[in-house]
């Protein structure tokens, strides 16, 4: 059972509402509750005390992280695990700025969040340099690159509608975080606005254009070698069922990007799984006469580092219009992936004479088997037995329905390609690629699953370098008794950067790290921890999964990456 803290009932100082009186903070809390929010992440701050005072009169559960960036990651993990909107409370200035790297991940990956940041009092706004604590010339401008929009609320009566609008925008495709900031005195001053009784936020409709669906169907009905790339937008749009139907109608091989991992059944006879960085898969995709790309920009990883040179036509579906044709020309369909694939599936009728794809005399199901076999043979030729067994042991130990959260570490890079999500979900920080994501996101996920009535343990995977970004969240996990098992793979440095530098320059510089004894450090927080050899990782994880509350498993080992296939040999 997770232990939640009640909202902090702080008595605001200065000219503000008497203790217990309603203020602008109450309007924030009441509106969020009316919209369905149950949990808030963040850290208290001086200008934000009105929010925390109001939480003491409301029903929101508060999870206090130790660093604002980790609060943003936790709200992100909460949303990914539950499908609900993550809510983040930030203090002014340094607190707000510290959250930005976490928000970049949510923005890049399309995670719906409502961010409420406090601001200096109204009289200090406008870059007047009055010398107020935490003052910035334009705080919300700092968030412009990592949120869908930014709003400054200057009057308490505007709070309910602004938050309702922000929630609507956050859940409308393309989903993402939305920033609201409220000055200190607007949060603290007594109000005459009555309590919020209801609030309604419905996602804006984002269907495909009829003529584009018609044209896409025409291309697909005439295709001899159709193939599909399922990106992260497929999962965000909950388009898995339509994707499966379309793939089976077309008998089209399907490959998932790292963000799309889990969008298509791993062991389906048409599944190329997620080996998108392998040249054998690139060859298949290049040979397709019609390639359907869903919720992906065909960016760096998906294009095998921009070596992908398709010879056929491309149908690209994405809710974000800036993504369409950003890397390759094609028939761009701006739409939510779920709505677009449902429309395509309904319109796509394949006559028996058409349902005979021909990959140069090879049936697509055989092509998939042969391609996967080639990938396996390539891996087995590279002295990667330890890595393959390590990842297989983790997969065997993790229950089929468990959600996993992966930091930017060598294990995660392997996971992008080889992890079968089964009935669970695979989450990583590959949207923006910042370090420190895995553990705080897993904390948020576990809290979220408990909140929505689906309690369960969550796995986080980090390296020793990335774990130090979020090591302070051991205190959060312990305080709230969060059921997260944290696997730390300790190779003594920034392992992937070490490998990149050695490959490029023959030697690595500034990649080696002094690090703590992670077992003793975890135990200092009151969190059980164990150190095991790589071959014992599965057994250690199973023991961690059976325990109560948080725990840590440390493995000291140096893992290698499989050889890249986009570079000349």
């Amino acid at each position: 059972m997770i232990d939640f803290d009640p909202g902090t009932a702080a008595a605001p100082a200065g000219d503000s509402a008497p203790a217990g009186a309603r203020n602008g903070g109450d309007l924030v809390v009441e509106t969020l509750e009316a919209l369905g929010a149950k949990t808030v992440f963040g850290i208290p701050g001086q200008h934000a005390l009105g929010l925390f005072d109001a939480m003491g009169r409301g029903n929101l559960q508060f999870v206090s992280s130790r660093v604002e960036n980790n609060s943003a990651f936790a709200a992100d993990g909460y949303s990914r695990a539950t499908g609900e909107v993550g809510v983040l409370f930030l203090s002014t200035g340094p607190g707000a700025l510290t959250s930005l790297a976490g928000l970049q991940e949510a923005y890049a990956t399309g995670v719906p969040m409502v961010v409420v940041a406090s601001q200096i009092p109204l009289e200090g706004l406008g870059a007047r340099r009055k010398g107020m604590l935490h003052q910035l010339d334009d705080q919300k401008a700092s968030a412009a690159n990592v949120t869908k929009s930014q709003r400054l609320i200057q009057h308490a009566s505007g709070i309910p509608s602004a938050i309702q609008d922000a929630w609507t925008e956050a859940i409308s495709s393309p989903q993402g975080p939305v920033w609201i900031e409220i000055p200190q005195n607007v949060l603290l001053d007594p109000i005459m606005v009555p309590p919020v009784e209801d609030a309604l936020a419905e996602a804006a409709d984002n269907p495909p254009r009829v003529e584009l669906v018609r044209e896409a169907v025409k291309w697909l009905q005439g295709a001899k070698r159709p193939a599909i790339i399922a990106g992260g937008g497929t999962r965000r749009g909950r388009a898995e069922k339509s994707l499966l139907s379309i793939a089976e109608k077309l008998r089209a091989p399907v490959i998932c990007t790292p963000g799309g991992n889990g969008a298509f059944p791993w062991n389906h006879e048409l599944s190329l799984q997620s080996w998108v960085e392998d040249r054998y898969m690139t060859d298949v995709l290049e040979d397709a006469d019609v390639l359907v790309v869903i919720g992906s920009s065909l960016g760096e990883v998906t294009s095998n580092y921009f070596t992908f040179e398709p010879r056929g036509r491309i149908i690209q579906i994405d809710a974000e219009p800036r993504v369409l044709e950003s890397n390759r020309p094609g028939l761009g369909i701006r739409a939510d992936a779920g709505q677009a694939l449902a429309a395509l599936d309904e319109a796509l009728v394949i006559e028996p004479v058409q349902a005979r794809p021909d990959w140069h005399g090879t049936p697509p199901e055989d092509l998939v088997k042969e391609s996967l076999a080639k990938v396996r043979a390539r891996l087995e030729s590279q002295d990667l037995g330890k890595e393959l067994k390590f990842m297989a042991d983790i997969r065997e130990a993790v229950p089929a329905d468990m959600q996993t959260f992966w930091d930017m570490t060598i294990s995660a890079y392997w996971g992008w390609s080889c992890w079968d999500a089964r009935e669970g979900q695979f989450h990583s920080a590959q949207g923006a690629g910042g370090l420190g994501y895995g553990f705080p996101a897993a904390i948020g996920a576990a809290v979220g699953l408990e909140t929505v009535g689906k309690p369960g343990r969550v796995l986080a995977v980090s390296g020793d370098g990335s774990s130090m970004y979020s090591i302070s969240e051991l205190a959060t996990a312990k305080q709230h008794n969060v059921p997260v098992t944290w696997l730390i793979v300790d190779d003594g440095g920034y392992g992937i950067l070490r490998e990149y530098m050695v490959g490029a320059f023959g030697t690595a510089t500034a990649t080696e790290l002094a690090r703590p004894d992670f077992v003793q450090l975890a135990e200092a927080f009151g969190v059980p921890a164990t150190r095991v050899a790589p071959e014992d990782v599965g057994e250690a994880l199973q023991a961690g999964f059976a325990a109560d509350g948080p725990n840590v498993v440390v493995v000291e080992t140096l893992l290698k990456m499989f050889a890249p296939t986009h570079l000349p040999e």
Side-chain angles (χ1 to χ4, degrees):
M1 178 67 69
I2 298 174
D3 297 325
F4 290 111
D5 280 355
T8 305
D15 256 352
S16 60
R22 292 181 69 252
N23 55 30
D26 287 281
L27 291 175
V28 175
V29 171
E30 290 165 3
T31 307
L32 289 171
E33 289 184 2
L35 288 165
K38 297 179 179 64
T39 303
V40 175
F41 299 86
I43 297 177
Q46 178 175 321
H47 294 126
L49 291 182
L51 291 172
F52 293 87
D53 172 56
M55 275 203 293
R57 293 184 289 277
N59 298 304
L60 291 176
Q61 299 162 335
F62 183 65
V63 177
S64 181
S65 300
R66 301 304 187 266
V67 183
E68 285 85 358
N69 190 44
N70 294 331
S71 295
F73 284 147
D76 174 308
Y78 178 98
S79 178
R80 293 198 205 195
T82 65
E84 305 288 334
V85 174
V87 181
L88 178 63
F89 283 178
L90 298 171
S91 58
T92 314
L97 295 179
T98 302
S99 74
L100 297 183
L103 291 176
Q104 184 187 4
E105 175 60 37
Y107 183 57
T109 310
V111 178
M113 290 169 54
V114 170
V115 183
V116 181
S118 61
Q119 217 349 332
I120 60 174
L122 280 167
E123 61 268 23
L125 298 179
R128 285 195 281 272
R129 291 289 178 177
K130 294 177 72 69
M132 291 180 169
L133 182 70
H134 303 330
Q135 186 170 13
L136 292 167
D137 289 346
D138 186 355
Q139 178 175 278
K140 69 181 187 305
S142 303
N145 271 329
V146 295
T147 56
K148 290 182 70 174
S149 67
Q150 310 80 40
R151 298 165 170 82
L152 170 64
I153 303 173
Q154 301 192 48
H155 305 284
S157 59
I159 290 174
S161 294
I163 291 178
Q164 180 174 282
D165 290 347
W167 192 287
T168 299
E169 185 176 0
I171 62 176
S172 297
S173 61
Q175 297 180 340
V178 178
W179 181 280
I180 293 174
E181 57 187 47
I182 310 173
Q184 179 186 30
N185 52 326
V186 177
L187 289 172
L188 290 173
D189 289 347
I191 57 173
M192 64 181 70
V193 183
V196 178
E197 295 183 10
D198 62 75
L200 177 64
E202 294 183 348
D205 202 28
N206 194 0
R209 298 184 64 86
V210 173
E211 69 275 12
L212 295 177
V213 172
R214 187 182 304 120
E215 185 68 12
V217 166
K218 186 188 305 181
W219 289 15
L220 291 171
Q221 286 176 332
K224 290 296 183 184
R225 296 184 306 281
I228 300 172
I229 296 177
T234 314
R235 291 172 61 191
R236 289 190 295 275
R238 296 175 175 82
E240 294 90 344
K241 183 178 179 181
S242 296
L243 171 62
L244 178 61
S245 176
I246 291 170
E248 290 180 341
K249 284 180 180 179
L250 294 170
R251 292 175 62 201
V254 178
I255 196 165
C256 293
T257 72
N261 185 307
F264 195 75
W266 187 262
N267 291 316
H268 193 283
E269 62 181 354
L270 293 169
S271 176
L272 292 168
Q273 300 175 358
S274 291
W275 295 98
V276 75
E277 292 183 60
D278 192 282
R279 187 68 221 177
Y280 288 125
M281 298 303 181
T282 308
D283 290 343
V284 171
L285 299 175
E286 286 181 340
D287 192 35
D289 60 353
V290 177
L291 180 65
V292 183
V293 181
I294 308 152
S296 169
S297 65
L298 290 179
E300 187 173 68
V301 175
T302 305
S303 65
N304 205 354
Y305 301 91
F306 300 113
T307 62
F308 175 49
E309 295 288 344
R311 297 186 290 276
R313 296 189 288 185
I314 294 174
I315 299 169
Q316 188 174 19
I317 299 166
D318 207 284
E320 170 56 75
R322 292 175 296 176
V323 165
L324 299 176
E325 299 189 271
S326 59
N327 281 306
R328 288 287 170 183
L331 180 66
I333 302 177
R334 196 293 306 270
D336 171 78
Q339 291 182 270
L341 290 193
L344 274 178
D345 187 29
E346 182 179 1
L348 185 61
V349 177
I350 302 296
E351 300 296 335
V353 70
Q354 296 172 315
R356 296 177 185 170
D358 178 10
W359 291 77
H360 312 292
T362 301
E365 296 81 4
D366 291 347
L367 176 74
V368 167
K369 287 180 185 177
E370 293 169 7
S371 300
L372 291 173
K374 289 177 182 178
V375 172
R376 282 193 296 272
R378 192 201 302 277
L379 294 173
E380 289 168 357
S381 73
Q382 293 178 27
D383 188 27
L384 295 170
K386 179 174 72 171
E387 288 77 7
L388 290 166
K389 183 178 187 305
F390 187 74
M391 295 303 297
D393 287 348
I394 296 173
R395 177 60 276 182
E396 184 62 27
V398 173
D401 61 349
M402 182 176 286
Q403 299 204 30
T404 60
F405 288 78
W406 302 70
D407 225 317
M408 296 296 286
T409 186
I410 288 178
S411 301
Y413 284 33
W414 271 95
W416 290 358
S417 296
C418 76
W419 188 259
D420 175 6
R422 298 185 182 172
E423 300 159 34
Q425 291 188 55
F426 174 90
H427 309 279
S428 78
Q430 54 83 219
L435 292 178
Y437 172 80
F439 186 49
I443 290 174
V447 168
L449 293 172
E450 173 86 12
T451 303
V452 300
K454 299 179 181 178
R457 181 163 289 274
V458 177
L459 173 67
V461 182
S462 301
D464 56 294
S466 58
S467 68
M468 291 302 293
Y469 277 70
S470 48
I471 200 74
S472 60
E473 302 311 320
L474 283 167
T476 304
K478 176 63 176 178
Q479 178 176 339
H480 299 285
N481 197 41
V482 181
V484 172
T485 294
W486 190 10
L487 173 61
I488 299 175
V489 184
D490 181 357
D491 65 5
Y494 296 122
I496 193 66
L497 298 178
R498 177 196 292 134
E499 190 164 315
Y500 287 164
M501 291 190 75
V502 170
F505 312 117
T507 186
T509 303
T511 59
E512 307 314 296
L513 298 172
R515 70 274 196 203
D517 183 319
F518 287 107
V519 170
Q520 291 188 13
L521 182 56
E523 290 173 343
F525 283 94
V527 175
T530 184
R531 181 183 291 105
V532 298
E535 58 268 23
D536 297 323
V537 67
E539 183 178 346
L541 287 176
Q542 288 177 333
F545 297 154
D548 179 56
N551 52 70
V552 175
V553 175
V554 180
V555 177
E556 294 181 357
T557 189
L558 177 62
L559 300 177
K560 298 183 297 183
M561 278 301 295
F562 47 82
T565 62
H566 65 281
L567 300 175
E569 296 183 8

